[in-house]
Amino acid sequence: MLLTPPPLSLYVHMPWCVKKCPYCDFNSHGVRGAPPYEAYIDVLLADLDADLRDFAQALHGRPVETVFFGGGTPSLFAPELVGRFLDGARERLPFAADAEVTLETNPGTVEHGRFDGYLAAGVNRISFGVQSFDDDKLRRLGRIHSAGEAEEAVRQAQDAGYSNINLDLMYALPQQTLEGALEDVERAIALGPTHISHYQLTLEPNTVFAANPPPLPDDDAAWAIQEACEARLAAAGYGQYEISAYAQPGRRCAHNLNYWRFGDYLGIGAGAHGKISDASGVHRRWKSRHPNAYMDAPGLPARIGGDSLIEAADLPFEYMLNALRLIDGVPAADFAQRTGLPAAAIAADRAACIARGWLHDEPDRLKTTELGQRFLNDVIGAFMH
């Protein structure tokens, strides 16, 4: 049983994008005609109302610490619409005074001057899906922007008053060299973002790239790229705090940290996933994936794609899947606080991982070694039964 509920976040899924990228396995849908953006905001608020009713006891009095608009491409929604949702959410839920509110944006979909509007609407953190500063690589990835457009978009956001900006970069791209990957990092650093997400391109099932794989660097080359880029980011003052996340001091992404620390979050929108803890355990709920099906059931049970209570036997794996991504690990006591299980539930698996050199032998902390970081999937898998 959970004695103290974890922090609460709000994830909002905006499912449309201009064009589906060949590597993308997210719940995103290419724009056809004019998507019903205004009506979608109404449905989001109806969805939120219904979740608040269903989880009323578990959510009572808990403030929203972070909000994240993901997609798709949330910047296809006008600032006024984003503001309308945030205003509606604040009427329904208490927000922390310093709540972090992030909006994902594609540099190719932002109109000049829009950043002022998002800032006024309550968005205080912008995340740009740049992926690369090499125009050839951007074309191969199916991106709709150029490197120059990405740089200009970041500068526009800074000019509008944004001081908290993330850039998403991918590495191990088709035929990418070590020098090319480092050039991407250099150009990102030159823009002065507060946060850089740097993650490897992988071939995900049911994507165009999975069906027709491009020529990617092999594992050794990808590892060499990762190590070199990590070193360059560190030298520029970006500390790695998660497998693929680097931040200037005090600029870690609070929303993602809540995921990795096994916090709670409401998932609103088509295909959105949520996790809520209460006296009976840890619940997961997800919404219908297709926007049409989701919008056809505003606030109704049919909008729910699935509901489940995580079995006690699965909680150690679920917890480690998130917590062990953090480079500094988590306090060992957090496991019991976030899962309701005793430390004894993971004692044997933890000891086995320590013996293999995957976890540090620290009684008060769950933390991977460098070897454990490299073989993270194996470490996490050790807690699956």
Side-chain angles (χ1 to χ4, degrees):
M1 178 176 175
L2 299 178
L3 299 178
T4 305
L8 178 67
S9 292
L10 174 60
Y11 175 75
V12 187
H13 194 75
M14 316 295 239
W16 292 285
C17 55
V18 174
K19 186 180 72 168
K20 182 85 170 180
C21 296
Y23 59 84
C24 178
D25 69 336
F26 295 149
N27 184 37
S28 58
H29 303 263
V31 169
R32 294 178 183 177
Y37 295 130
E38 292 193 29
Y40 190 74
I41 299 298
D42 295 332
V43 176
L44 288 176
L45 291 172
D47 187 4
L48 180 58
D49 281 334
D51 273 7
L52 291 177
R53 286 194 300 269
D54 292 348
F55 296 116
Q57 189 170 356
L59 297 174
H60 180 70
R62 294 168 66 183
V64 173
E65 306 285 348
T66 68
V67 182
F68 196 100
F69 291 93
T73 304
S75 56
L76 289 174
F77 284 74
E80 311 83 71
L81 295 178
V82 172
R84 182 150 69 83
F85 176 81
L86 286 172
D87 289 345
R90 288 179 185 276
E91 291 170 1
R92 292 160 168 81
L93 281 163
F95 272 45
D98 60 347
E100 175 193 273
V101 182
T102 301
L103 181 89
E104 285 188 332
T105 179
N106 183 329
T109 62
V110 178
E111 296 174 10
H112 183 70
R114 267 196 162 188
F115 291 112
D116 292 344
Y118 289 125
L119 196 61
V123 174
N124 54 31
R125 183 175 183 271
I126 292 286
S127 179
F128 284 101
V130 174
Q131 314 314 356
S132 177
F133 289 99
D134 181 321
D135 284 339
D136 175 65
K137 297 294 184 283
L138 288 170
R139 282 191 294 271
R140 286 172 175 255
L141 292 173
R143 305 298 289 173
I144 64 170
H145 67 272
S146 67
E149 287 171 337
E151 290 170 332
E152 178 60 22
V154 174
R155 294 190 188 102
Q156 285 179 16
Q158 291 166 334
D159 290 345
Y162 276 100
S163 60
N164 199 3
I165 294 175
N166 170 66
L167 302 185
D168 282 346
L169 281 183
M170 302 174 79
Y171 69 91
L173 303 178
Q175 297 181 320
Q176 187 177 50
T177 62
L178 174 58
E179 293 73 23
L182 283 170
E183 176 64 17
D184 274 350
V185 169
E186 290 291 348
R187 290 180 70 172
I189 290 169
L191 290 168
T194 47
H195 190 285
I196 295 175
S197 297
H198 188 250
Y199 53 98
Q200 184 175 350
L201 171 63
T202 54
L203 302 181
E204 301 294 342
N206 302 315
T207 62
V208 173
F209 271 6
N212 297 285
L216 301 180
D218 63 26
D219 289 346
D220 288 341
W223 181 250
I225 289 172
Q226 181 182 332
E227 285 193 311
C229 291
E230 279 179 12
R232 180 64 191 98
L233 287 163
Y238 293 88
Q240 184 183 19
Y241 67 99
E242 188 266 345
I243 291 299
S244 59
Y246 303 76
Q248 293 176 349
R251 295 295 196 167
R252 296 179 176 185
C253 178
H255 185 84
N256 286 342
L257 279 172
N258 194 39
Y259 288 154
W260 297 322
R261 290 170 177 163
F262 215 53
D264 279 356
Y265 47 97
L266 284 163
I268 304 301
H273 283 241
K275 168 190 169 288
I276 299 295
S277 306
D278 63 15
S280 63
V282 180
H283 301 260
R284 290 206 183 277
R285 168 176 286 187
W286 54 100
K287 307 297 169 56
S288 298
R289 285 178 58 84
H290 199 280
N292 291 346
Y294 173 76
M295 293 187 70
D296 283 345
L300 301 175
R303 81 192 191 287
I304 299 173
D307 253 320
S308 66
L309 183 69
I310 302 176
E311 298 287 340
D314 296 329
L315 276 169
F317 170 76
E318 293 265 356
Y319 181 82
M320 296 301 177
L321 182 65
N322 293 281
L324 294 184
R325 292 181 64 91
L326 292 169
I327 301 302
D328 294 335
V330 293
D334 280 8
F335 172 77
Q337 291 174 2
R338 298 292 164 91
T339 65
L341 299 177
I346 57 169
D349 294 332
R350 184 180 179 188
C353 287
I354 291 171
R356 292 183 175 184
W358 289 346
L359 292 180
H360 285 284
D361 190 2
E362 298 179 17
D364 299 329
R365 197 153 196 87
L366 293 166
K367 179 181 176 182
T368 54
T369 61
E370 285 190 23
L371 181 66
Q373 289 172 27
R374 186 162 187 182
F375 296 99
L376 188 59
N377 289 340
D378 295 312
V379 184
I380 295 167
F383 294 88
M384 179 186 285
H385 296 284

